[in-house]
Amino acid sequence: MKIWTSEHVFDHPWETVTTAAMQKYPNPMNPSVVGVDVLARHVDPTGKLHSHRLLSTEWGIPSIVKSIIGTCRTKTYVQEHSVVDPVEKTMELRSSNISFTNLVSVDERLVYKPHPHEPDKTILTQEAIISVKGVSLSSYLEGLMANTISSNANKGREALEWVINRLNAEIEEFTASARGTMRNSMAAAAFVEK
Amino acid sequence: MNSVGEACTELKREYDQCFNRWFAEKFLKGESDGDPCGQLFKRYQLCVQKAIKEKDIPIEGLEFMGPSKGKTEDSS
């Protein structure tokens, strides 16, 4: 069993990071995630939002292999449960693989909170527990997987930054076009009044 | 982003748009009353449940429930 942990600070407020995290896919850093579905979602009596999602991933298996094993069997699945508390400002996300559970289990936990000393920043603590089953090289393989998880975690953070930039660009575009429309209507109204 | 069921992707997109707007503009600002996306979610869910069964995806012990707040929903 291998445990990997990490901490990262985003230079954005918690609301921005959380909104981006809910829309993380698709993004160019995680091309293997090809499908995201919400299986269940509700706000509990304490006001926290629970979401249960299914992620479908495709690992770029060579097409010759696909043609042998069939395209239906090349997807792997991960289930993800998240809880967002808008009052305490925490988002916790837990995910685990539901494919190949007889071979390996990867459980990840991510927690996003406002930075304790810099309220306009967000701190992400992340941990993964990896367990390769029934193989004598398990600790070596677990080490390899921890490295993969570490580099994927970097990609995941870049992915959030990418989503945040995209959302900000959309807002700017919308504001600019709204301003343009308003200017035109005001000019038209002024013209009519004269 | 696609859905696990190809036929569900459009329903998923409509629901996602509704949810993302509600999440950023209402939920995070402390206004979680109201459920503007309930109908969209139900239609999307029916499609996804079918796709998951067809593809035999091993989701255990999951109750497929629509968005609710622990009290009965009115269908409006």
Side-chain angles (χ1 to χ4, degrees):
Chain A
M1 190 168 84
K2 181 93 180 165
I3 299 173
W4 168 90
T5 61
S6 123
E7 213 174 69
H8 176 79
V9 176
F10 289 96
D11 199 4
H12 304 280
W14 179 82
E15 287 80 359
T16 303
V17 175
T18 305
T19 301
M22 298 301 271
Q23 305 181 45
K24 190 173 170 187
Y25 306 105
N27 71 73
M29 291 81 183
N30 300 114
S32 56
V33 177
V34 298
V36 178
D37 282 291
V38 181
L39 303 180
R41 183 169 264 155
H42 73 285
V43 178
D44 73 19
T46 65
K48 298 191 194 89
L49 177 73
H50 295 250
S51 306
H52 217 126
R53 303 202 306 179
L54 174 73
L55 272 55
S56 312
T57 62
E58 180 86 66
W59 291 99
I61 292 170
S63 43
I64 186 155
V65 177
K66 273 195 206 179
S67 64
I68 296 165
I69 68 176
T71 46
C72 295
R73 293 165 64 180
T74 57
K75 288 217 177 73
T76 56
Y77 299 100
V78 171
Q79 72 165 355
E80 183 198 86
H81 180 225
S82 62
V83 185
V84 183
D85 185 334
V87 174
E88 295 296 313
K89 299 199 185 191
T90 61
M91 174 172 176
E92 178 172 336
L93 201 135
R94 285 176 195 254
S95 72
S96 56
N97 60 305
I98 55 175
S99 302
F100 304 115
T101 49
N102 54 325
L103 297 175
V104 65
S105 77
V106 180
D107 297 293
E108 282 196 277
R109 180 172 174 256
L110 285 74
V111 181
Y112 297 91
K113 285 184 183 174
H115 193 286
H117 309 303
E118 297 180 75
D120 279 341
K121 296 188 182 177
T122 302
I123 190 160
L124 163 65
T125 46
Q126 201 168 350
E127 63 183 32
I129 300 173
I130 307 142
S131 209
V132 175
K133 297 170 189 179
V135 176
S136 56
L137 287 175
S138 57
S139 58
Y140 170 70
L141 290 171
E142 285 165 3
L144 277 187
M145 290 185 68
N147 289 341
T148 307
I149 285 179
S150 178
S151 77
N152 282 348
N154 285 333
K155 281 189 212 155
R157 289 168 210 144
E158 282 171 34
L160 272 202
E161 296 283 354
W162 182 88
V163 175
I164 289 167
N165 283 336
R166 176 177 69 81
L167 292 175
N168 284 341
E170 283 172 12
I171 291 170
E172 272 177 40
E173 220 182 274
F174 178 76
T175 313
S177 86
R179 247 187 252 129
T181 310
M182 263 174 59
R183 237 182 266 130
N184 288 341
S185 343
M186 278 165 61
F191 182 75
V192 166
E193 273 177 24
K194 280 189 204 139
Chain B
M1 187 85 273
N2 293 334
S3 168
V4 68
E6 294 78 14
C8 312
T9 295
E10 197 45 48
L11 291 170
K12 172 192 139 64
R13 283 199 190 132
E14 279 177 23
Y15 166 69
D16 279 349
Q17 249 185 347
C18 180
F19 169 77
N20 289 335
R21 195 175 300 137
W22 170 84
F23 183 79
E25 293 172 14
K26 301 277 178 187
F27 179 74
L28 287 185
K29 298 184 180 172
E31 303 166 34
S32 62
D33 287 335
D35 182 20
C37 310
Q39 288 306 317
L40 289 171
F41 189 66
K42 277 178 194 153
R43 285 204 322 249
Y44 163 50
Q45 275 304 287
L46 286 173
C47 185
V48 166
Q49 283 178 45
K50 199 161 152 266
I52 285 171
K53 281 200 188 103
E54 278 167 12
K55 295 185 186 233
D56 219 4
I57 298 171
I59 306 206
E60 291 171 8
L62 192 69
E63 291 163 24
F64 289 95
M65 43 187 192
S68 70
K69 287 183 232 163
K71 54 184 181 189
T72 43
E73 262 181 42
D74 294 332
S75 50
S76 44

